[in-house]
Amino acid sequence: AYAAQLHIENYGRCFRNTINPTVFVGSVQSVKEHDIKRFVAMGSKVTVIQDEFHHATKGSKTWGRILTPLDEAGARGLGPTATPCRSDGQGLSRETDGYGDVIVEGPTMRDLIRKGHLSDYRIFCPPTDIDLSLVHISQRTGDFVEKELKSEVGKGSKIVGEIVSHYLQICPGKRGITFTVGVDTAEEVAEQYRSMGVPAVSLSGNTPDAERVQAIRDLKAGKLLMIVNDSLIGEGVDIPAVEVVLFARPTQSYSLYIQMFGRALRPSEGKTHAFIIDAVGNVQRFISLGRGLPDTPQTWTLD
């Protein structure tokens, strides 16, 4: 019933078909074992469309538990993603760690910007005092060790206090998303926004669904100007009303970086360009690693 309500609110009609359903929609968390068994029995008649395919590896307890039995049963698949890469070094091909047989490249970010399907952007990189020299890189994830990163951002850096000042100086009144590290830090930053007169809320995995949906509604309506989160809405979220993204979360993951960056690039009426405020050096980090700016063409490989 809740899904049907959101369908009608966003699209003017409900897409659920309970009489003769031919399409099953679910998240990796909501697909149950009995669902998997039903699809396995259908074998090659099943086509799996797995969004955010860069997560799909055989060793994944969430994604792999669904895709491996379907793959072994002969199901076919399509795996869209804007970022076909992983910071842990695992491959997405069948011969390595994933399920892909062939990679088909679509238009680049700059192509989509030129054609009006994405908004152009302006990047602002205020000076930062954050020191990541003692923060280790996790061998498991390929990104900064979360506990050490939280300690540096929350204790050794002024970033929590400065992020709101950057926003008020560069693009006050713009609706946006701030990415932090840690749920506690997200709430601290949201409180800082509110204390400076900016309507803001922090969201986490513990936030009830209804509150998340209402926050997005309020952001679209302009009642809320900032959603602060710890990677909760870093990908798979389409909010064209977002005009600014603020990085208060350093990352070594190119995929995470581009996904967060992209939250502000959905075109909307009156948006001439998105504002990207990088207060933790992410943009310069990936330029120094040879990646260039976010719309620089990349050489992608499933391996």
Side-chain angles (χ1 to χ4, degrees), residues 16-21:
R16 291 188 65 200
N17 179 356
T18 57
I19 300 175
N20 185 27

Side-chain angles (χ1 to χ4, degrees), residues 15-174:
F15 294 93
R16 291 188 65 200
N17 179 356
T18 57
I19 300 175
N20 185 27
T22 57
V23 176
F24 176 92
V25 181
S27 70
V28 289
Q29 292 87 2
S30 66
V31 176
K32 307 301 182 185
E33 293 304 318
H34 63 82
D35 297 316
I36 298 173
K37 290 180 180 178
R38 178 159 61 94
F39 298 133
V40 165
M42 297 170 65
S44 61
K45 295 180 181 179
V46 174
T47 298
V48 181
I49 300 176
Q50 177 63 70
D51 196 18
E52 308 298 356
F53 196 66
H54 54 282
H55 290 298
T57 58
K58 296 167 188 172
S60 168
K61 294 180 180 179
T62 50
W63 308 73
R65 77 173 179 91
I66 300 171
L67 295 181
T68 293
L70 295 177
D71 182 47
E72 292 174 347
R76 295 172 295 175
L78 173 67
T81 175
T83 52
C85 59
R86 295 176 58 90
S87 57
D88 61 7
Q90 292 191 71
L92 299 175
S93 68
R94 187 181 302 280
E95 292 75 21
T96 55
D97 308 286
Y99 303 91
D101 295 301
V102 63
I103 186 168
V104 180
E105 294 193 39
T108 66
M109 181 189 291
R110 180 47 58 180
D111 289 336
L112 293 171
I113 291 172
R114 288 195 192 102
K115 294 176 181 179
H117 300 304
L118 289 178
S119 170
D120 212 335
Y121 62 83
R122 294 180 65 192
I123 298 174
F124 297 81
C125 299
T128 176
D129 70 338
I130 194 164
D131 181 10
L132 300 175
S133 61
L134 297 179
V135 179
H136 294 87
I137 305 296
S138 167
Q139 293 184 347
R140 181 178 62 84
T141 67
D143 204 351
F144 293 115
V145 174
E146 192 90 352
K147 185 177 180 180
E148 296 177 12
L149 192 60
K150 288 179 182 178
S151 177
E152 171 57 30
V153 171
K155 180 179 65 177
S157 168
K158 301 176 183 177
I159 186 63
V160 172
E162 291 181 342
I163 194 73
V164 180
S165 298
H166 296 324
Y167 167 78
L168 291 174
Q169 180 181 356
I170 294 169
C171 55
K174 297 293 185 181

Side-chain angles (χ1 to χ4, degrees), residues 82-85 103 105 254 258 291 296-303:
T83 52
C85 59
I103 186 168
E105 294 193 39
Y254 184 72
I258 294 298
R291 290 287 194 174
T296 299
Q298 305 293 318
T299 300
W300 301 117
T301 168
L302 290 175
D303 298 323

